[in-house]
Amino acid sequence: MTGAQHLPDELIQEILLRLPPRTIGRCLAVCKAWCSLVSAPIFHRASADRPAAVAKVTSTWASFHGGAGDGDGLPGSFFHKVMLFDSYRCRWVRGNVHKTPPSPRGIKLSSPRNLATTIVGSWDGVVCIDRGLLPDADRHRQYVLWNPLTRACATVSPPPGRGVIIGAYAHPATMRFHLLHAAC
Amino acid sequence: MAAATDDAGDSNEMIRVVSSDGEHFEMPEAAANLSLVLRHMIEDDCADAAGIPLAVVAAKPLAKIVDYCTKHAAKSSGLTIEEAEELKRFDAEFIEVDTDMLYDLLVAADFMGVEGLSKLAVQRTADLIKGKTPEQNRETFGIVNDFTPEEEEEICKENEWAFQITKPPSRLC
Protein backbone atom coordinates (compact mmCIF):
# COMPACT_ATOMS: atom_id res chain seq x y z
CA MET A 1 0.00 0.00 0.00
CA THR A 2 1.82 3.08 -1.14
CA GLY A 3 -0.76 5.73 -1.82
CA ALA A 4 -4.34 6.80 -2.20
CA GLN A 5 -4.23 5.70 -5.83
CA HIS A 6 -4.51 2.14 -4.59
CA LEU A 7 -7.73 2.74 -2.72
CA PRO A 8 -10.87 1.34 -4.35
CA ASP A 9 -12.97 3.93 -6.23
CA GLU A 10 -15.94 3.52 -3.87
CA LEU A 11 -13.78 4.46 -0.90
CA ILE A 12 -12.30 7.51 -2.60
CA GLN A 13 -15.79 8.57 -3.57
CA GLU A 14 -16.98 8.16 0.03
CA ILE A 15 -14.10 10.37 1.14
CA LEU A 16 -14.60 13.05 -1.51
CA LEU A 17 -18.32 13.23 -0.73
CA ARG A 18 -17.49 14.43 2.75
CA LEU A 19 -15.64 17.47 1.46
CA PRO A 20 -16.92 21.02 1.07
CA PRO A 21 -17.74 22.01 -2.55
CA ARG A 22 -14.69 24.23 -2.92
CA THR A 23 -12.35 21.40 -1.95
CA ILE A 24 -14.21 19.03 -4.27
CA GLY A 25 -13.69 21.56 -7.07
CA ARG A 26 -9.97 21.56 -6.37
CA CYS A 27 -9.87 17.77 -6.23
CA LEU A 28 -10.70 17.75 -9.94
CA ALA A 29 -7.13 18.91 -10.57
CA VAL A 30 -5.40 16.27 -8.43
CA CYS A 31 -5.32 13.42 -10.95
CA LYS A 32 -7.40 11.87 -13.72
CA ALA A 33 -8.90 9.21 -11.45
CA TRP A 34 -10.20 11.76 -8.93
CA CYS A 35 -11.39 14.00 -11.73
CA SER A 36 -13.50 11.28 -13.31
CA LEU A 37 -14.87 10.18 -9.93
CA VAL A 38 -16.02 13.71 -9.09
CA SER A 39 -17.46 14.14 -12.59
CA ALA A 40 -19.47 10.88 -12.49
CA PRO A 41 -23.28 11.32 -12.49
CA ILE A 42 -23.60 9.17 -9.38
CA PHE A 43 -21.38 11.68 -7.56
CA HIS A 44 -23.57 14.63 -8.62
CA ARG A 45 -26.59 12.78 -7.39
CA ALA A 46 -25.01 11.87 -4.06
CA SER A 47 -23.86 15.43 -3.42
CA ALA A 48 -27.27 16.81 -4.33
CA ASP A 49 -28.76 14.48 -1.73
CA ARG A 50 -27.07 16.38 1.04
CA PRO A 51 -29.38 18.09 3.54
CA ALA A 52 -28.81 21.40 1.81
CA ALA A 53 -28.12 20.97 -1.88
CA VAL A 54 -24.71 22.16 -2.94
CA ALA A 55 -26.06 24.58 -5.49
CA LYS A 56 -29.15 26.07 -4.06
CA VAL A 57 -29.82 29.59 -5.21
CA THR A 58 -30.87 31.52 -2.15
CA SER A 59 -31.38 34.96 -3.66
CA THR A 60 -30.49 37.06 -6.65
CA TRP A 61 -29.60 40.69 -7.20
CA ALA A 62 -29.42 42.83 -10.25
CA SER A 63 -27.25 45.87 -10.52
CA PHE A 64 -26.72 48.38 -13.27
CA HIS A 65 -23.38 49.92 -14.04
CA GLY A 66 -23.31 53.29 -15.73
CA GLY A 67 -22.60 53.01 -19.44
CA ALA A 68 -18.86 53.44 -19.68
CA GLY A 69 -18.22 55.46 -22.78
CA ASP A 70 -20.49 53.69 -25.21
CA GLY A 71 -22.35 56.94 -25.82
CA ASP A 72 -25.77 55.48 -26.48
CA GLY A 73 -27.24 57.19 -23.46
CA LEU A 74 -28.64 54.05 -21.89
CA PRO A 75 -28.15 54.10 -18.14
CA GLY A 76 -27.50 50.37 -17.82
CA SER A 77 -25.20 49.32 -20.55
CA PHE A 78 -23.94 46.39 -18.55
CA PHE A 79 -26.25 44.25 -16.59
CA HIS A 80 -24.98 42.15 -13.73
CA LYS A 81 -26.95 39.50 -12.05
CA VAL A 82 -25.61 38.06 -8.85
CA MET A 83 -26.74 34.77 -7.52
CA LEU A 84 -26.08 33.63 -4.03
CA PHE A 85 -25.37 30.04 -3.21
CA ASP A 86 -25.98 28.51 0.08
CA SER A 87 -22.97 26.33 -0.18
CA TYR A 88 -21.90 25.57 3.34
CA ARG A 89 -24.92 24.17 5.11
CA CYS A 90 -23.96 20.68 4.17
CA ARG A 91 -23.37 17.51 6.03
CA TRP A 92 -19.81 18.29 7.06
CA VAL A 93 -21.21 21.04 9.27
CA ARG A 94 -21.38 19.66 12.75
CA GLY A 95 -24.72 19.93 14.47
CA ASN A 96 -28.13 20.49 13.00
CA VAL A 97 -27.83 21.55 9.37
CA HIS A 98 -31.28 23.07 9.45
CA LYS A 99 -30.40 25.35 12.32
CA THR A 100 -26.99 26.40 11.06
CA PRO A 101 -27.24 29.92 9.66
CA PRO A 102 -26.74 30.12 5.89
CA SER A 103 -23.31 31.08 4.69
CA PRO A 104 -23.84 32.08 1.10
CA ARG A 105 -21.31 32.85 -1.56
CA GLY A 106 -22.03 34.77 -4.68
CA ILE A 107 -21.38 34.35 -8.37
CA LYS A 108 -21.73 37.21 -10.79
CA LEU A 109 -23.32 36.72 -14.18
CA SER A 110 -22.49 39.54 -16.52
CA SER A 111 -24.48 39.83 -19.67
CA PRO A 112 -24.34 42.21 -22.59
CA ARG A 113 -27.25 44.58 -22.84
CA ASN A 114 -29.10 42.63 -25.52
CA LEU A 115 -29.37 39.56 -23.32
CA ALA A 116 -31.81 39.22 -20.44
CA THR A 117 -30.58 36.75 -17.87
CA THR A 118 -32.77 35.45 -15.08
CA ILE A 119 -32.17 32.67 -12.64
CA VAL A 120 -35.14 30.33 -12.81
CA GLY A 121 -34.18 28.23 -9.83
CA SER A 122 -32.06 25.35 -8.65
CA TRP A 123 -33.00 21.72 -8.30
CA ASP A 124 -30.95 18.69 -7.30
CA GLY A 125 -27.74 20.68 -7.43
CA VAL A 126 -28.39 22.06 -10.91
CA VAL A 127 -29.03 25.75 -11.53
CA CYS A 128 -31.36 26.77 -14.37
CA ILE A 129 -30.70 30.13 -16.01
CA ASP A 130 -33.09 31.72 -18.49
CA ARG A 131 -31.40 33.64 -21.30
CA GLY A 132 -33.56 35.70 -23.60
CA LEU A 133 -32.17 37.63 -26.55
CA LEU A 134 -33.63 41.13 -26.51
CA PRO A 135 -35.73 42.84 -27.75
CA ASP A 136 -37.97 39.80 -28.19
CA ALA A 137 -36.81 37.64 -25.31
CA ASP A 138 -39.83 35.36 -25.50
CA ARG A 139 -39.02 34.27 -29.02
CA HIS A 140 -35.30 33.88 -28.55
CA ARG A 141 -35.11 32.06 -25.30
CA GLN A 142 -32.73 29.41 -24.04
CA TYR A 143 -32.35 27.65 -20.75
CA VAL A 144 -28.86 27.04 -19.48
CA LEU A 145 -28.52 24.19 -17.00
CA TRP A 146 -25.43 24.36 -14.92
CA ASN A 147 -23.93 22.37 -12.09
CA PRO A 148 -21.60 24.84 -10.35
CA LEU A 149 -19.87 22.07 -8.46
CA THR A 150 -18.79 20.06 -11.44
CA ARG A 151 -18.98 22.75 -14.17
CA ALA A 152 -21.26 20.51 -16.28
CA CYS A 153 -23.33 22.75 -18.51
CA ALA A 154 -26.06 22.26 -21.12
CA THR A 155 -28.25 24.62 -23.13
CA VAL A 156 -31.79 23.70 -24.15
CA SER A 157 -34.50 25.53 -26.08
CA PRO A 158 -38.07 25.63 -24.81
CA PRO A 159 -40.85 24.00 -26.86
CA PRO A 160 -42.62 26.39 -29.25
CA GLY A 161 -45.20 28.74 -27.79
CA ARG A 162 -45.24 30.71 -24.59
CA GLY A 163 -44.57 28.95 -21.35
CA VAL A 164 -42.70 28.88 -18.09
CA ILE A 165 -40.46 26.50 -16.23
CA ILE A 166 -42.37 25.23 -13.22
CA GLY A 167 -39.85 22.83 -11.80
CA ALA A 168 -37.08 20.36 -12.52
CA TYR A 169 -35.54 17.22 -11.14
CA ALA A 170 -32.75 14.74 -11.67
CA HIS A 171 -34.29 11.35 -12.37
CA PRO A 172 -33.06 9.03 -9.63
CA ALA A 173 -32.63 6.01 -11.92
CA THR A 174 -31.44 7.47 -15.22
CA MET A 175 -29.61 10.51 -13.71
CA ARG A 176 -31.07 12.57 -16.55
CA PHE A 177 -32.10 16.06 -15.64
CA HIS A 178 -35.71 16.96 -16.54
CA LEU A 179 -37.14 20.46 -16.87
CA LEU A 180 -40.88 20.82 -16.40
CA HIS A 181 -42.24 23.37 -18.86
CA ALA A 182 -45.86 24.54 -18.72
CA ALA A 183 -47.52 26.30 -21.64
CA CYS A 184 -49.47 29.42 -20.83
CA MET B 1 -19.03 -9.28 31.82
CA ALA B 2 -20.25 -10.79 35.10
CA ALA B 3 -23.79 -9.71 34.27
CA ALA B 4 -23.88 -11.69 31.04
CA THR B 5 -27.46 -12.47 30.11
CA ASP B 6 -28.75 -15.65 28.49
CA ASP B 7 -28.49 -14.52 24.90
CA ALA B 8 -24.97 -13.25 25.53
CA GLY B 9 -24.07 -16.46 27.29
CA ASP B 10 -21.11 -17.30 25.08
CA SER B 11 -19.95 -13.71 24.44
CA ASN B 12 -16.94 -14.35 26.66
CA GLU B 13 -15.63 -16.77 24.12
CA MET B 14 -12.46 -15.61 22.38
CA ILE B 15 -12.40 -15.51 18.62
CA ARG B 16 -9.10 -16.10 16.85
CA VAL B 17 -8.18 -14.39 13.62
CA VAL B 18 -5.10 -14.80 11.47
CA SER B 19 -3.57 -11.94 9.46
CA SER B 20 -2.39 -12.31 5.87
CA ASP B 21 1.20 -12.53 7.14
CA GLY B 22 0.33 -15.34 9.55
CA GLU B 23 0.06 -13.56 12.89
CA HIS B 24 -2.60 -14.72 15.34
CA PHE B 25 -4.89 -12.38 17.25
CA GLU B 26 -7.64 -12.95 19.78
CA MET B 27 -10.66 -10.87 20.68
CA PRO B 28 -13.92 -11.40 22.57
CA GLU B 29 -16.82 -12.61 20.42
CA ALA B 30 -18.69 -9.34 21.07
CA ALA B 31 -15.74 -7.47 19.52
CA ALA B 32 -15.56 -9.80 16.51
CA ASN B 33 -19.28 -9.26 15.98
CA LEU B 34 -18.60 -5.62 15.13
CA SER B 35 -17.13 -6.94 11.87
CA LEU B 36 -19.80 -8.07 9.44
CA VAL B 37 -17.45 -10.61 7.87
CA LEU B 38 -16.39 -12.12 11.19
CA ARG B 39 -19.99 -12.19 12.43
CA HIS B 40 -21.09 -14.17 9.41
CA MET B 41 -18.15 -16.56 9.84
CA ILE B 42 -19.06 -17.06 13.51
CA GLU B 43 -22.72 -17.64 12.61
CA ASP B 44 -21.62 -20.20 10.05
CA ASP B 45 -19.47 -21.96 12.67
CA CYS B 46 -16.27 -21.15 10.86
CA ALA B 47 -14.58 -19.81 13.98
CA ASP B 48 -12.39 -22.62 15.26
CA ALA B 49 -9.19 -22.91 17.23
CA ALA B 50 -7.09 -22.48 14.09
CA GLY B 51 -8.51 -18.98 13.69
CA ILE B 52 -10.36 -17.19 10.90
CA PRO B 53 -7.90 -16.38 8.10
CA LEU B 54 -8.11 -12.79 6.81
CA ALA B 55 -6.29 -13.01 3.52
CA VAL B 56 -6.07 -9.29 2.74
CA VAL B 57 -5.45 -7.81 6.20
CA ALA B 58 -1.84 -7.60 7.40
CA ALA B 59 -0.84 -7.90 11.06
CA LYS B 60 -0.24 -4.17 11.65
CA PRO B 61 -3.72 -2.92 10.71
CA LEU B 62 -5.32 -6.06 12.14
CA ALA B 63 -3.81 -5.34 15.56
CA LYS B 64 -5.36 -1.85 15.40
CA ILE B 65 -8.73 -3.24 14.32
CA VAL B 66 -8.74 -5.79 17.14
CA ASP B 67 -8.00 -2.90 19.52
CA TYR B 68 -10.81 -0.81 18.09
CA CYS B 69 -13.38 -3.60 18.19
CA THR B 70 -12.44 -4.71 21.69
CA LYS B 71 -12.74 -1.17 23.02
CA HIS B 72 -16.05 -0.52 21.27
CA ALA B 73 -17.58 -3.89 22.13
CA ALA B 74 -16.82 -3.43 25.82
CA LYS B 75 -18.76 -0.17 25.76
CA SER B 76 -21.47 -0.91 23.27
CA SER B 77 -24.71 -0.46 25.20
CA GLY B 78 -26.03 1.84 27.90
CA LEU B 79 -23.27 4.42 27.62
CA THR B 80 -23.17 7.21 30.16
CA ILE B 81 -22.24 10.66 28.85
CA GLU B 82 -18.73 10.31 30.29
CA GLU B 83 -18.26 6.92 28.66
CA ALA B 84 -19.44 8.26 25.31
CA GLU B 85 -16.98 11.14 25.66
CA GLU B 86 -14.21 8.73 26.55
CA LEU B 87 -14.99 6.59 23.50
CA LYS B 88 -14.87 9.71 21.33
CA ARG B 89 -11.46 10.60 22.75
CA PHE B 90 -10.32 7.03 22.14
CA ASP B 91 -11.44 7.30 18.49
CA ALA B 92 -9.70 10.66 18.03
CA GLU B 93 -6.42 9.27 19.36
CA PHE B 94 -6.88 5.95 17.60
CA ILE B 95 -7.07 7.53 14.14
CA GLU B 96 -4.01 9.77 14.62
CA VAL B 97 -1.95 7.55 12.33
CA ASP B 98 0.32 8.11 9.34
CA THR B 99 -1.21 7.98 5.86
CA ASP B 100 0.07 4.46 5.11
CA MET B 101 -1.69 3.09 8.18
CA LEU B 102 -4.75 5.16 7.32
CA TYR B 103 -5.03 3.48 3.88
CA ASP B 104 -4.52 0.08 5.44
CA LEU B 105 -7.28 0.82 7.95
CA LEU B 106 -9.60 2.18 5.24
CA VAL B 107 -9.22 -0.93 3.12
CA ALA B 108 -9.25 -3.40 6.01
CA ALA B 109 -12.26 -1.84 7.78
CA ASP B 110 -14.11 -1.80 4.48
CA PHE B 111 -13.21 -5.42 3.75
CA MET B 112 -14.07 -6.62 7.25
CA GLY B 113 -17.25 -4.54 7.37
CA VAL B 114 -16.46 -2.63 10.56
CA GLU B 115 -18.82 0.26 9.99
CA GLY B 116 -17.77 2.58 12.82
CA LEU B 117 -14.10 2.31 11.95
CA SER B 118 -14.81 2.74 8.25
CA LYS B 119 -16.59 6.02 8.94
CA LEU B 120 -13.84 7.16 11.26
CA ALA B 121 -11.10 6.49 8.69
CA VAL B 122 -13.08 8.05 5.83
CA GLN B 123 -13.71 11.22 7.85
CA ARG B 124 -10.06 11.40 8.90
CA THR B 125 -8.95 11.13 5.25
CA ALA B 126 -11.46 13.81 4.22
CA ASP B 127 -10.11 16.07 6.98
CA LEU B 128 -6.60 15.63 5.57
CA ILE B 129 -7.77 16.66 2.07
CA LYS B 130 -9.83 19.64 3.19
CA GLY B 131 -8.51 23.10 2.36
CA LYS B 132 -5.41 21.82 0.54
CA THR B 133 -4.22 22.66 -2.95
CA PRO B 134 -4.10 19.84 -5.52
CA GLU B 135 -0.30 19.77 -5.21
CA GLN B 136 -0.44 19.42 -1.41
CA ASN B 137 -2.97 16.62 -1.78
CA ARG B 138 -0.80 14.77 -4.28
CA GLU B 139 2.07 15.04 -1.84
CA THR B 140 0.06 13.89 1.17
CA PHE B 141 -1.45 10.94 -0.64
CA GLY B 142 1.43 9.96 -2.88
CA ILE B 143 -0.57 10.59 -6.06
CA VAL B 144 1.17 11.08 -9.38
CA ASN B 145 -0.10 14.02 -11.43
CA ASP B 146 -1.13 12.40 -14.71
CA PHE B 147 -2.44 15.60 -16.31
CA THR B 148 -0.45 17.43 -18.95
CA PRO B 149 0.28 21.04 -17.89
CA GLU B 150 -2.30 22.17 -20.48
CA GLU B 151 -5.00 19.87 -19.11
CA GLU B 152 -4.30 20.99 -15.57
CA GLU B 153 -4.47 24.64 -16.52
CA GLU B 154 -7.75 24.02 -18.32
CA ILE B 155 -9.29 22.38 -15.24
CA CYS B 156 -8.11 25.17 -12.95
CA LYS B 157 -9.52 27.75 -15.34
CA GLU B 158 -12.88 26.02 -15.64
CA ASN B 159 -13.14 25.72 -11.89
CA GLU B 160 -11.78 29.10 -11.00
CA TRP B 161 -14.31 29.52 -8.23
CA ALA B 162 -12.79 26.62 -6.33
CA PHE B 163 -9.30 28.04 -6.52
CA GLN B 164 -10.14 31.58 -5.51
CA ILE B 165 -9.65 32.83 -1.99
CA THR B 166 -12.96 33.00 -0.15
CA LYS B 167 -14.25 36.53 0.09
CA PRO B 168 -16.76 37.41 2.77
CA PRO B 169 -20.30 37.47 1.32
CA SER B 170 -20.89 40.88 2.90
CA ARG B 171 -19.02 42.38 -0.06
CA LEU B 172 -22.10 41.72 -2.16
CA CYS B 173 -24.55 43.48 0.10
Side-chain angles (χ1 to χ4, degrees):
Chain A
M1 198 66 56
T2 50
Q5 269 168 335
H6 301 273
L7 292 176
D9 283 358
E10 305 85 58
L11 270 177
I12 298 180
Q13 187 176 307
E14 257 307 297
I15 293 162
L16 296 180
L17 270 173
R18 284 173 185 241
L19 295 168
R22 189 178 289 267
T23 310
I24 294 177
R26 283 189 217 157
C27 283
L28 284 163
V30 169
C31 64
K32 284 181 179 165
W34 284 27
C35 183
S36 65
L37 272 178
V38 173
S39 312
I42 186 89
F43 194 87
H44 301 190
R45 184 69 205 159
S47 15
D49 269 348
R50 285 165 168 165
V54 170
K56 185 166 166 51
V57 176
T58 51
S59 53
T60 56
W61 272 286
S63 71
F64 294 90
H65 286 217
D70 57 352
D72 63 4
L74 281 175
S77 64
F78 286 98
F79 182 53
H80 291 292
K81 201 102 195 179
V82 172
M83 77 180 125
L84 272 199
F85 290 92
D86 190 359
S87 57
Y88 292 123
R89 276 194 306 168
C90 301
R91 76 174 192 206
W92 48 85
V93 174
R94 287 177 210 285
N96 187 335
V97 284
H98 301 293
K99 286 184 183 160
T100 312
S103 163
R105 61 184 303 268
I107 286 183
K108 188 175 73 180
L109 301 173
S110 337
S111 41
R113 62 174 175 274
N114 59 343
L115 205 60
T117 317
T118 335
I119 289 114
V120 185
S122 58
W123 297 272
D124 292 338
V126 174
V127 178
C128 177
I129 299 156
D130 173 335
R131 290 182 356 144
L133 194 63
L134 297 175
D136 195 358
D138 275 336
R139 286 186 52 191
H140 305 280
R141 163 155 289 130
Q142 283 186 319
Y143 295 111
V144 180
L145 302 171
W146 177 52
N147 183 334
L149 178 62
T150 57
R151 84 188 182 276
C153 194
T155 305
V156 292
S157 301
R162 289 173 70 89
V164 284
I165 298 292
I166 53 168
Y169 63 96
H171 193 283
T174 62
M175 303 293 175
R176 286 177 75 98
F177 193 78
H178 296 249
L179 269 180
L180 304 174
H181 185 268
C184 59
Chain B
M1 292 287 175
T5 50
D6 289 340
D7 59 302
D10 52 3
S11 72
N12 281 337
E13 205 178 298
M14 295 302 272
I15 299 294
R16 285 160 204 269
V17 288
V18 187
S19 70
S20 60
D21 38 359
E23 265 194 61
H24 288 247
F25 295 89
E26 262 191 3
M27 62 182 137
E29 187 174 333
N33 275 334
L34 291 180
S35 153
L36 212 62
V37 167
L38 292 183
R39 201 173 77 207
H40 289 158
M41 300 283 272
I42 295 165
E43 282 165 1
D44 290 346
D45 281 330
C46 297
D48 53 19
I52 300 172
L54 293 164
V56 301
V57 187
K60 257 174 81 181
L62 188 54
K64 289 279 283 180
I65 292 175
V66 169
D67 254 12
Y68 176 92
C69 291
T70 309
K71 181 79 179 179
H72 277 256
K75 296 197 182 288
S76 58
S77 57
L79 284 184
T80 64
I81 295 171
E82 292 84 53
E83 279 171 335
E85 282 295 314
E86 201 230 306
L87 209 52
K88 250 189 183 171
R89 274 199 302 277
F90 168 84
D91 280 358
E93 270 173 43
F94 179 89
I95 206 66
E96 279 286 325
V97 292
D98 60 32
T99 45
D100 280 348
M101 177 55 100
L102 192 57
Y103 305 143
D104 288 348
L105 285 178
L106 274 169
V107 174
D110 188 52
F111 167 77
M112 289 174 69
V114 187
E115 206 196 333
L117 180 55
S118 244
K119 277 192 183 155
L120 185 65
V122 162
Q123 188 58 55
R124 165 77 178 162
T125 318
D127 290 343
L128 287 178
I129 297 175
K130 221 176 278 183
K132 293 223 176 86
T133 63
E135 189 46 51
Q136 285 169 326
N137 273 324
R138 283 184 213 119
E139 222 167 88
T140 313
F141 295 97
I143 294 171
V144 180
N145 182 5
D146 49 4
F147 288 117
T148 63
E150 292 79 34
E151 284 171 332
E152 195 182 345
E153 204 194 312
E154 184 71 26
I155 287 180
C156 294
K157 230 170 80 189
E158 279 173 349
N159 297 280
E160 226 181 326
W161 64 273
F163 294 91
Q164 285 161 353
I165 310 294
T166 322
K167 294 183 184 103
S170 57
R171 260 184 83 248
L172 292 163
C173 303

